[in-house]
Amino acid sequence: MNYRISNRAESLTPSLTLAISAKAKQMKAEGHDVVGFGAGEPDFDTPQHIKDAAAAALEEGFTKYTPSSGIPELRKAVADKFKSDNGLDYDPSQIIISCGGKHSCYNVIMATCQEDDEVVIPAPYWLSYPEMVKLAGAKPVVIPTSDETEFKVTPEQLRSAITSRTRLFILNSPSNPTGTVYTPAEIRELGDICVENGVLIMSDEIYEKLLYDGAEHASVAGFSEQHYAHTIIVHGLAKAYSMTGWRLGYLAAPEPIAKAINSIQSHSTSNPTSFAQKGGVAALTGPQDHLQSWLDEFSKRRGYAHETLNNIPGISCVNAKGAFYLFPKISNFGLSSAEFCRRLLEEDKVAAVPGAAFGADEYIRLSYATDIDNIRKGLDRLAAFTGKLQG
Ligand SMILES: *Cc1c(COP(=O)(O)O)cnc(C)c1O
């Protein structure tokens, strides 16, 4: 039997992060004391009132199909969130609830991109963006950045990456994997360039609330009617409410795009899980006080990790202003990021994600969504590992 795999699926790059995390899991199962810096999710539990709302919905029999774009109550709660947090006016008909922020990104790219289109993506990027673009048959155009510009793409770089084929620019601030947060003025300028060139912007704002050192989040949609008309915001509940396993995300788009996405979703996943959506309503409309204590904790860990990393000879690390990742440079040691991470795991039992997974081979990603004792232990081991490499 010839199990011919589609060109579409064959074009994908298997996830480098999965290989490392599978290995870390296996080592843990074998009894090794592995310190994990790989987590892409908060280590806190979902706030209780959110769980209660979903449990009550389940109990009350809210277990059937819902409208494919989500329950009206949740679409309205999302529209209200955009109004109160971002000053943006969206009608609930412009809001689509999906099965995670990742699914929202996928829907946007499927609804807007096709063969011969180019999609401009600054690197380091969230690893799914280029793969989704390839699935749509379009071409990722990657703009490299480095720690010298805090991993920010410059207006000149964006201008020169845009061609007559450019359909979409992907902006992710605060960023995974670097924690970079663009200032409002920088976002506006990138937005201006897209508007001038008729390029749509997919703005992934899922880390909007995870900001440090007074950093400010601005949505590109807010700068003018033109910016609004060119922007699709993707967002979700996973990070700010620690709801990664709930699979609940959302987007806000100009009406025709929302309509197209509704069609796509109605023929693929249909609605996101009914009772999870009730939890989503509780998350967005209920108390938000968990967030400050999470931020305080993240901020403490970030401060410790950032300082400790920069004290390790050969490593340098820009301080992140958002999300829960640091992205130290490790290229001084002469290893590829994959080799560095493989050896770090095998020899010193620390799991980190190679920068190559994010299009930046000179770095590794460390998540500080783990407790401070773990961070201390893991960074001590990292220092011992790099000491051996230098010695
Ligand atoms: C985590 C994440 C998402 C979405 O995650 P979901 O679990 O699918 O909601 C989207 N974009 C970035 C950059 C992320 O890190």
Side-chain angles (χ1 to χ4, degrees), residues 167-352:
R167 177 70 177 142
L168 189 68
F169 169 59
I170 300 183
L171 179 64
N172 173 217
S173 176
S175 149
N176 176 5
T178 62
T180 293
V181 181
Y182 286 83
T183 66
E186 289 164 344
I187 290 188
R188 177 175 196 140
E189 195 170 1
L190 297 175
D192 288 346
I193 295 168
C194 292
V195 167
E196 273 165 38
N197 289 280
V199 170
L200 293 174
I201 305 156
M202 183 175 91
S203 181
D204 183 341
E205 304 183 9
I206 196 157
Y207 293 100
E208 169 182 24
K209 299 273 169 88
L210 303 183
L211 297 169
Y212 314 103
D213 298 344
E216 198 184 327
H217 172 79
S219 177
V220 64
F223 289 110
S224 74
E225 268 174 44
Q226 282 288 63
H227 287 77
Y228 178 93
H230 283 75
T231 302
I232 304 133
I233 301 175
V234 296
H235 212 308
L237 299 154
K239 308 294 161 50
Y241 300 93
S242 200
M243 292 172 70
T244 47
W246 292 60
R247 309 315 303 134
L248 214 49
Y250 55 84
L251 61 84
E255 198 85 47
I257 295 178
K259 227 170 140 188
I261 291 173
N262 179 35
S263 287
I264 292 174
Q265 188 157 293
S266 72
H267 291 298
S268 47
T269 57
S270 297
N271 60 276
T273 304
S274 57
F275 45 90
Q277 293 187 65
K278 291 285 191 177
V281 172
L284 290 173
T285 61
Q288 306 291 314
D289 39 324
H290 67 284
L291 198 63
Q292 194 53 52
S293 64
W294 292 5
L295 285 172
D296 291 345
E297 184 59 32
F298 278 147
S299 190
K300 242 183 275 170
R301 299 169 181 179
R302 181 191 62 122
Y304 172 78
H306 173 251
E307 189 184 341
T308 307
L309 283 165
N310 280 308
N311 284 333
I312 300 178
I315 290 188
S316 58
C317 184
V318 171
N319 207 358
K321 298 247 175 11
F324 39 72
Y325 311 102
L326 288 168
F327 206 62
K329 188 169 190 176
I330 51 87
S331 55
N332 271 336
F333 301 102
L335 300 176
S336 71
S337 58
E339 184 65 4
F340 185 95
C341 288
R342 185 187 64 75
R343 287 186 51 186
L344 177 62
L345 179 58
E346 284 177 2
E347 297 173 22
D348 289 275
K349 318 275 184 290
V350 174

